[in-house]
Amino acid sequence: QDDRVLIGGGFTLIANEAHNHIARIEADGSFDSSFGLSADSDVYSLAEQADHRVLVGGQFMQIGGQPRQGIARLRTDDSVDPTFTAFPNGAVLRILAQRDGRIVLGGYFNMVNNQSANGLARLLPNGNWDFTLTPKPGSGSIVVSLAQQHDGKLLVGGIFTQIGSVARVGLARYELNGALETTVSDRNVSGNVLTVVEPRRPGIFFACIFHAVRYNGNQGPNLRLPVNGLLQFGTTQSNGIKKRCH
């Protein structure tokens, strides 16, 4: 909103000053000493909502002196929002603030707000459970990347092999109504998808750890899919040997 930048991570010192896991940087690159908020463990994800409140996800149990497990929301005055009390039972690795105000969480947890989640959950703007996103990944799944397409569909990347009873390896897409979409299928990815992004030109970029990914005769570790889930083009060839992509 004002060109300042929030950062989160595993740090406890910045420029020899105490900044526990969350800090703010001024537009000129200096650290904002007026930002006194701290967390008691790592911050993995930050997302700004349309009203400029900031969602914080991580491994913490306390932030700003308030008990919050894995997720919190900060008001525009930097205080912890007392009205937002979602509680996953594990680490939140990614947060996506949807354009409609709903909030998607990805991470290493199997419950959110006492509801079965298995690494993926969607909340209403007030932090209450959104029942419309279903089915969820299988037991033991970890969701590490989230993106919303231009058309509003939700992309999910991570370490999983099925969504509900449907085989999905590493990559899945949900319709606007929260139902699992059938175009992006497990036949195309043979490993874990680590990051997904919707670029300005319609399509899907994803990078992963896998043995091989193939679409319509093309294969490679970094691929762009059009909105229908079929390969548009590949940028790096793969010989089928397991490799790490970023």
Side-chain angles (χ1 to χ4, degrees), residues 24-77:
R24 187 164 60 200
I25 302 175
E26 299 281 7
D28 63 1
S30 63
F31 291 100
D32 183 358
S33 59
S34 70
F35 185 81
L37 204 72
S38 65
D40 65 352
S41 192
D42 294 356
V43 169
Y44 296 136
S45 186
L46 296 163
E48 185 179 21
Q49 296 184 288
D51 59 5
H52 302 300
R53 290 183 292 182
V54 174
L55 297 158
V56 183
Q59 193 173 310
F60 50 83
M61 297 293 291
Q62 187 179 93
I63 185 168
Q66 301 297 317
R68 292 290 187 278
Q69 184 170 343
I71 186 170
R73 183 163 62 191
L74 308 183
R75 297 186 292 193
T76 54
D77 64 358

Side-chain angles (χ1 to χ4, degrees), residues 3 8 44 49 58 66 94 118 145 173 182 202 204 208 222 232 238:
D3 294 328
Y44 296 136
Q49 296 184 288
Q66 301 297 317
R94 291 291 181 270
N118 290 335
S145 188
R173 181 161 58 187
T182 58
I204 307 162
C208 52
N222 302 293
Q232 192 167 9
S238 169

Side-chain angles (χ1 to χ4, degrees), residues 61-111:
M61 297 293 291
Q62 187 179 93
I63 185 168
Q66 301 297 317
R68 292 290 187 278
Q69 184 170 343
I71 186 170
R73 183 163 62 191
L74 308 183
R75 297 186 292 193
T76 54
D77 64 358
D78 301 332
S79 63
V80 176
D81 185 348
T83 69
F84 187 87
T85 57
F87 51 99
N89 68 345
V92 173
L93 304 179
R94 291 291 181 270
I95 302 176
L96 172 68
Q98 291 192 176
R99 291 186 287 273
D100 62 3
R102 288 182 290 182
I103 301 157
V104 187
L105 309 181
Y108 185 67
F109 49 77
N110 55 41
M111 300 282 287

Side-chain angles (χ1 to χ4, degrees), residues 2 4 22 31 49 54 61 92-93 96 100 105-107 127 129-130 136 146 171-172 174 189 199 215 237:
D2 56 9
R4 293 181 294 179
I22 186 168
F31 291 100
Q49 296 184 288
V54 174
M61 297 293 291
V92 173
L93 304 179
L96 172 68
D100 62 3
L105 309 181
W129 181 261
D130 179 2
K136 298 293 189 299
L146 300 164
L171 181 65
Y174 286 85
V189 182
Y215 287 86
Q237 293 299 310

Side-chain angles (χ1 to χ4, degrees), residues 97-146:
Q98 291 192 176
R99 291 186 287 273
D100 62 3
R102 288 182 290 182
I103 301 157
V104 187
L105 309 181
Y108 185 67
F109 49 77
N110 55 41
M111 300 282 287
V112 176
N113 296 1
N114 293 322
Q115 301 289 333
S116 179
N118 290 335
L120 179 66
R122 187 161 64 185
L123 307 176
L124 300 175
N126 62 3
N128 290 342
W129 181 261
D130 179 2
F131 287 91
T132 64
L133 189 68
T134 186
K136 298 293 189 299
S139 177
S141 298
I142 305 173
V143 170
V144 299
S145 188
L146 300 164

